Amino acid sequence: ASDDIVNYIVAMLRVQTLLVTGHPEQARLHLSKAMALEISLFGNNLDSITRLSEERLWSGDLAAAEALYGRVLLASGDWRLPTLYFLPPTNSKEAGHLWIAQIRSFTGMAAIRILQGEYDQAARWALAGEERFLDFLDLTEHPLYGLFIEPNTNLYLAHGWNLVMLASARAGVSGNL
């Protein structure tokens, strides 16, 4: 199973690299491999849907991106990463998978609202993402939970993007650009 996880991570990193280097169409082509791995590992394709949402966002199709992010948020509902455990977590990979899909969706919805000039709504989306980032970061510093929950570079990159959305939205709301 560890090879499958590595292959999944590599496939998603390839998709992400293609997106941020201005090749959204190629990213979409590579997404099918990542999606198949994701379904076999986690039983759903929520993270792949967020990557497809990003592809649509980067391609300028805001309506499609919003609909896809909305699917992820509907599927995750009001779920939040648990911040209190009585025993070491046994589902940290599954929880992390759902958490990152949810976070990507909050950040993506904030980006869409910023592009539409709806800064107050963008701030709400980005703030919801920030609250969830802080939940996770608190867990990584906990003396017990921190032994099992480890941040990685993707976490910090995603957090940085969410902070950019939050700052942009707040600047838009205040008019102090």
Side-chain angles (χ1 to χ4, degrees):
S2 66
D3 285 347
D4 288 342
I5 291 277
V6 169
N7 290 334
Y8 167 69
I9 291 169
V10 168
M12 283 302 203
L13 287 172
R14 173 175 281 150
V15 169
Q16 191 66 33
T17 300
L18 289 166
L19 283 172
V20 300
T21 57
H23 303 284
E25 298 82 15
Q26 290 179 16
R28 190 174 194 171
L29 295 174
H30 286 280
L31 194 55
S32 60
K33 177 182 179 182
M35 191 177 293
L37 287 166
E38 181 182 10
I39 290 169
S40 72
L41 288 166
F42 301 105
N44 66 61
N45 63 347
L46 293 176
D47 194 25
S48 294
I49 292 171
T50 66
R51 305 302 173 117
L52 183 58
S53 303
E54 289 175 25
E55 183 272 330
R56 295 288 72 213
L57 180 63
W58 284 71
S59 296
D61 189 348
L62 302 184
E66 183 175 4
L68 290 164
Y69 285 130
R71 282 177 49 192
V72 172
L73 293 171
L74 184 63
S76 64
D78 61 358
W79 179 87
R80 286 191 73 150
L81 185 68
T83 57
L84 178 64
Y85 296 90
F86 296 104
L87 296 171
T90 58
N91 67 339
S92 59
K93 288 196 185 335
E94 294 82 3
H97 175 259
L98 178 57
W99 178 84
I100 196 64
Q102 193 180 59
I103 288 294
R104 286 182 183 282
S105 296
F106 284 127
T107 303
M109 291 295 252
I112 290 167
R113 293 297 177 254
I114 287 167
L115 291 171
Q116 295 172 332
E118 299 170 359
Y119 300 113
D120 57 335
Q121 290 181 27
R124 284 196 282 283
W125 285 114
L127 188 58
E130 183 61 16
E131 289 168 355
R132 284 155 178 84
F133 271 113
L134 294 177
D135 287 347
F136 184 88
L137 292 172
D138 285 347
L139 286 175
T140 66
E141 297 299 320
H142 189 278
L144 174 62
Y145 310 148
L147 298 173
F148 305 98
I149 300 172
E150 190 174 310
N152 61 38
T153 54
N154 282 326
L155 166 87
Y156 294 114
L157 178 63
H159 191 203
W161 276 111
N162 195 70
L163 288 171
V164 166
M165 296 307 141
L166 184 56
S168 298
R170 286 184 172 168
V173 166
S174 72
N176 187 8
L177 303 173

